[in-house]
Amino acid sequence: MAFPISRRQLAGALGATVGAAVLGPLADHVAEASLSRGQSTDLIQLNSNENPYGASPRALEALARSGGAASRYPDANEEEARDAIARHHGVAIDQVVLGAGSSDILRMADSAFLTAGKTVVAAGATFEAVLAYARVTKAEAVKVPLTADHRHDLPAMAARCDSRTGLVYVCNPNNPTGTVVHGDELDAFYPRVPRSAVILVDEAYHHFVESPKYRTAVDAIGKFPNVIVARTFSKIYGVAGMRLGYSISSTENAETLRSHASFSNVNASALAIAVASLADTGHVPQERKRLNDTRRWLCAELDRDGRTHMPSETNFVMIHVGRDVAPLIAQFRERKILVGRRFAPLPEWLRISIGTREETAAFLTALRTLVPA
């Protein structure tokens, strides 16, 4: 039976079985997550790309009402949530698969489409869960460096695909760089990937994008049935702690993914929140505006300081600090500010999640002290 493993649970779930060798690049992420769990409220948490404003009022009301379902398995709730998600995207309910966070969807994809002798192609700097899970399946990771402007090099990724490729992972927008690949670039990419390989597009940060060149991969599934799109309620919907994600794919791939999920892998409260969140149509635009406005304000201040940062279409920004970020992260923590972890391919870049304006201003003040412009 497959086991749902969230981004926050990976270390504990894998520890005794595969140890630190399998965790690899996720070890720092697991340590970072533990810092934000159960901390006192005087800490400013800008390390995990969460929404500091939380869930919509309607979602919180649904959460409060969901206690009555605690004694029952969530089968009926799953059907309702899948139906709401399907209607939201204009697809059939059989195309929707639920997971305990979108990272659970990534794990299912690795389990379903990767085996020993297969390869997974991914960007050299991206969210590491797919590569970590792939080591469990004994698949080989093929990392393709980013372009000079910190984006996926899709032509190079396509060139690395062959008959052994089981999975191609595209995080769009990309974590940790915050950059996007454009819709026309993806359109040119899809047919260059063998149909025998699954293209997994992680759109965890989809709702923050404002670039007119961006386009969701959901639109491509009809023409390219080997495309699977992963989404989450952890980011703009503000319910990271409830662990709910989902995928949209062809019905065939959905059936395959579902066969690698554990039974009742999403709890009833999370499912109730999903339905209410989708029904609250004003929440996403509101959160997009205030978080993106704060990001733009921060980037303008960084520009005024003369600091280099990556162009972001997400709720985080990568800032170049000119030295290894590991000691700097500890210095921020001494000031009760949690910032992103060290990313091995980008050791001099600091990832900062967008908090409230006050939290982000506190970070900027500390940055100007610790790393003078």
Side-chain angles (χ1 to χ4, degrees), residues 7 48-51 101-102 204 231-245 315:
R7 300 169 196 245
S48 296
N49 305 339
E50 299 148 335
N51 182 348
S102 59
R231 291 280 187 95
T232 185
F233 286 87
S234 296
K235 303 306 176 184
I236 206 163
Y237 288 107
V239 289
M242 297 306 297
R243 311 310 304 129
L244 181 61
N315 63 335

Side-chain angles (χ1 to χ4, degrees), residues 78-372:
E78 290 177 7
E79 192 80 2
E80 181 185 14
R82 288 174 59 219
D83 181 64
I85 291 168
R87 285 186 284 105
H88 180 74
H89 288 284
V91 299
I93 189 172
D94 288 343
Q95 293 179 257
V96 179
V97 177
L98 300 175
S102 59
S103 55
D104 193 23
I105 297 295
L106 307 189
R107 179 202 58 78
M108 289 182 210
D110 275 14
S111 178
F113 303 110
L114 294 177
T115 58
K118 289 287 188 177
T119 65
V120 51
V121 177
T126 194
F127 182 62
E128 308 98 331
V130 161
L131 299 180
Y133 295 140
R135 297 178 71 171
V136 179
T137 70
K138 311 297 185 184
E140 175 188 345
V142 177
K143 298 183 182 180
V144 178
L146 297 173
T147 62
D149 57 353
H150 310 292
R151 301 191 307 130
H152 283 65
D153 190 338
L154 293 183
M157 290 176 66
R160 298 299 301 274
C161 294
D162 55 28
S163 60
R164 295 175 59 224
T165 305
L167 201 63
V168 185
Y169 177 66
V170 179
C171 190
N172 192 36
N174 188 39
N175 181 16
T177 62
T179 53
V180 296
V181 289
H182 305 152
D184 57 352
E185 293 171 327
L186 280 170
D187 286 344
F189 174 70
Y190 298 136
R192 295 190 59 191
V193 175
R195 287 296 182 101
S196 57
V198 167
I199 304 170
L200 178 59
V201 184
D202 186 344
E203 295 184 348
Y205 301 93
H206 160 84
H207 300 94
F208 298 101
V209 181
E210 295 177 325
S211 170
K213 296 181 178 180
Y214 169 87
R215 188 163 58 251
T216 176
V218 172
D219 300 336
I221 294 171
K223 185 176 181 180
F224 299 99
N226 58 330
V227 171
I228 296 176
V229 178
R231 291 280 187 95
T232 185
F233 286 87
S234 296
K235 303 306 176 184
I236 206 163
Y237 288 107
V239 289
M242 297 306 297
R243 311 310 304 129
L244 181 61
Y246 62 92
S247 66
I248 304 292
S249 68
S250 68
T251 54
E252 180 181 358
N253 277 337
E255 183 178 351
T256 301
L257 283 176
R258 205 172 290 116
S259 70
H260 289 264
S262 61
F263 295 116
S264 300
N265 62 335
V266 180
N267 72 76
S269 294
L271 295 167
I273 283 178
V275 174
S277 295
L278 293 174
D280 191 351
T281 56
H283 182 67
V284 166
Q286 169 188 292
E287 298 306 290
R288 179 192 299 117
K289 183 179 189 312
R290 62 176 168 180
L291 287 166
N292 284 0
D293 282 352
T294 300
R295 186 194 70 223
R296 279 187 283 268
W297 171 81
L298 173 63
C299 291
E301 291 296 309
L302 296 173
D303 290 339
R304 191 171 74 167
D305 288 352
R307 301 179 193 272
T308 300
H309 58 89
M310 296 184 191
S312 175
E313 292 281 350
T314 63
N315 63 335
F316 59 86
V317 178
M318 284 286 267
I319 305 169
H320 190 255
V321 295
R323 62 177 190 258
D324 194 291
V325 300
L328 186 60
I329 292 168
Q331 291 176 315
F332 273 106
R333 179 165 173 76
E334 290 173 359
R335 288 160 173 77
K336 298 186 177 182
I337 301 174
L338 303 182
V339 294
R341 66 192 183 278
R342 182 184 187 274
F343 293 89
L346 302 164
E348 295 187 350
W349 291 84
L350 180 68
R351 193 191 69 185
I352 172 70
S353 303
I354 301 301
T356 65
R357 179 65 68 92
E358 294 75 19
E359 290 171 337
T360 308
F363 159 78
L364 184 62
T365 298
L367 177 68
R368 285 168 169 164
T369 300
L370 295 172
V371 188

